[in-house]
Amino acid sequence: MSSRIAAVDVGNDSIKAIFGELEYELNIPNIVARDTEDRPVIGIEELDNKNPLEGIHIKVHSPALKENNAIYRVGQLATKSTSATELDPGSAKSEEDQTLVMLFATLALDAVNEKNSNSFPKMKNVIDANYTLGTGLPLREVKEGKDAGYRSKLVGSVHQVEFLVTPKYQGLKVNIKFNEVKIYPEGFAAYINLVMDNNLKIINKDLIDKRIIIQDIGGLSTDIAVIKNRNVDDDKAQGFNLGVSESLEAIREEIRSKHGIELDSRRDVVEIITRKNDRNHIMVKGSRTSVHDITDRILLELAKKQYRLLRNVWQKNSQTEICYFVGGGANVLKEYIKTLNNNLDGYNIDFFEDEKESIWMMANAYYKLITDFVRKTEKPKPPQEPVKN
């Protein structure tokens, strides 16, 4: 049975996934809410006109889950729920049901996509989907050896996602199997993405032999990879329980208590902070109101902590030539960190000006690594015997 390539970055803010020959990508908020089987639906005809990504409602059956056969609203639909959960600081990505639920949901959404009807066999309403998966875990978890346990949960079992009240896909079931699972440390993935193109050809010659620090600021954690001689120096690499989620939560809380405005999730806060027009403004009773004082104070505080981490790592690796800040959190803190650096130590630091590139960096890197793995392991076809007359 043929296997489809999937590169999935289960980020704390959202899932980024790239499939096949780069022909399909998905980005879903990493929010789930436990639910009951029969969520009320107004008119099935109307349901099927809606975007499936806005109504992901599934039942997940997998031996890898602590809570088997539970029903979830996922992504956009979960943000509207009172019982929505986002990952908490200090939680291990490799040990949370939520990570697996999001992973399986994303793969199932690819499998049911009508463009892939040729990729997987379908009997009645059941699709059998086989994937070769490239994904990653925070450096801290890989250093603790958690990648092996995570991989063994995935390989060798069948994981089933059943679409309940989901537009277009209602009643479909997807059986997910993994042909192979590769788990990469997140910091190393960022490096691969910096120096190599999709065919793993080196695109950044002047970087390849430099000593680099990569500071990847995520929602719940920050990974700092120290790269020398083209490898991550495992002893120097560090993971910290410090991400942007708590600060976003604090901003959300303060906007609520000061302005009486209820924002659905941390994502709404990110939107307010990063959008091009009307940045740091909200609508209060119909009038445009600045929340600059709140966002500036809280984000500057976090930027100082991130800067302190950089300073400590740089001190221990004094011959570092440049530090790249990557990840969704770096995108939120960019201006604050630049200002601190200009006023303080003036390290050689850089950000990705392209927002999409920064956010999709991990998924892109896993894609490069997993396609390279497939390329190397596929056996060359034996030459055809000439046909004798």
Side-chain angles (χ1 to χ4, degrees), residues 23 30 133 140 180 201 213 219 291 341:
E23 78 271 6
N30 189 353
L133 174 69
R140 191 181 72 250
E180 179 56 86
K201 297 265 183 308
I213 292 173
V291 289
N341 191 47

Side-chain angles (χ1 to χ4, degrees), residues 321-345:
E321 293 169 71
I322 186 166
C323 170
Y324 280 95
F325 282 91
V326 303
N331 202 26
V332 169
L333 294 174
K334 183 162 68 179
E335 298 312 321
Y336 301 98
I337 291 173
K338 281 183 180 171
T339 305
L340 285 171
N341 191 47
N342 291 340
N343 296 336
L344 296 166
D345 305 1

Side-chain angles (χ1 to χ4, degrees), residues 247-262:
S247 299
L248 297 174
E249 209 53 71
I251 291 170
R252 187 175 150 194
E253 185 50 48
E254 201 161 321
I255 286 175
R256 184 171 63 201
S257 61
K258 189 171 172 185
H259 299 288
I261 299 295
E262 189 71 65

Side-chain angles (χ1 to χ4, degrees), residues 64-247:
L65 295 169
K66 297 184 191 96
E67 298 220 24
N68 206 346
N69 288 322
I71 294 168
Y72 296 96
R73 297 173 174 220
V74 172
Q76 216 56 49
L77 187 65
T79 56
K80 302 175 176 62
S81 168
T82 47
S83 59
T85 57
E86 299 178 76
L87 289 173
D88 291 322
S91 61
K93 200 184 267 193
S94 57
E95 291 169 353
E96 293 287 333
D97 268 5
Q98 181 158 340
T99 306
L100 295 168
V101 169
M102 291 304 303
L103 173 66
F104 299 149
T106 307
L107 295 171
L109 283 162
D110 171 67
V112 292
N113 184 358
E114 36 286 358
K115 293 192 181 109
N116 301 330
S117 52
N118 305 333
S119 306
F120 303 124
K122 181 176 177 185
M123 284 286 289
K124 291 193 175 141
N125 64 338
V126 181
I127 297 167
D128 285 315
N130 204 323
Y131 286 98
T132 298
L133 174 69
T135 187
L137 286 173
L139 264 168
R140 191 181 72 250
E141 294 184 45
V142 175
K143 277 179 99 166
E144 290 167 5
K146 290 185 174 161
D147 50 332
Y150 185 59
R151 183 178 176 280
S152 67
K153 280 183 193 173
L154 296 173
V155 178
S157 300
V158 179
H159 315 278
Q160 188 184 76
V161 174
E162 179 182 352
F163 287 97
L164 301 173
V165 193
T166 303
K168 297 188 179 56
Y169 305 141
Q170 193 165 14
L172 289 176
K173 293 179 182 175
V174 182
N175 290 329
I176 298 165
K177 271 193 181 148
F178 294 102
N179 199 21
E180 179 56 86
V181 174
K182 293 296 228 185
I183 296 169
Y184 305 101
E186 288 174 354
F188 174 63
Y191 171 67
I192 289 291
N193 215 49
L194 277 174
V195 296
M196 294 172 184
D197 68 8
N198 274 343
N199 302 315
L200 293 202
K201 297 265 183 308
I202 290 169
I203 41 174
N204 215 327
K205 288 229 172 21
D206 54 338
L207 261 191
I208 189 91
D209 290 318
K210 278 191 172 171
R211 290 193 168 197
I212 307 171
I213 292 173
I214 294 175
Q215 188 152 334
D216 172 22
I217 307 175
L220 302 181
S221 61
T222 295
D223 276 347
I224 303 187
V226 177
I227 315 270
K228 55 179 193 222
N229 307 330
R230 307 188 182 193
N231 278 307
V232 173
D233 181 335
D234 282 335
D235 300 324
K236 299 277 177 68
Q238 284 178 288
F240 302 91
N241 272 336
L242 177 68
V244 290
S245 291
E246 278 184 89
S247 299

Side-chain angles (χ1 to χ4, degrees), residues 15-27:
I15 309 301
K16 279 76 66 178
I18 303 169
F19 296 97
E21 309 267 319
L22 287 170
E23 78 271 6
Y24 188 51
E25 53 181 50
L26 277 171
N27 187 349

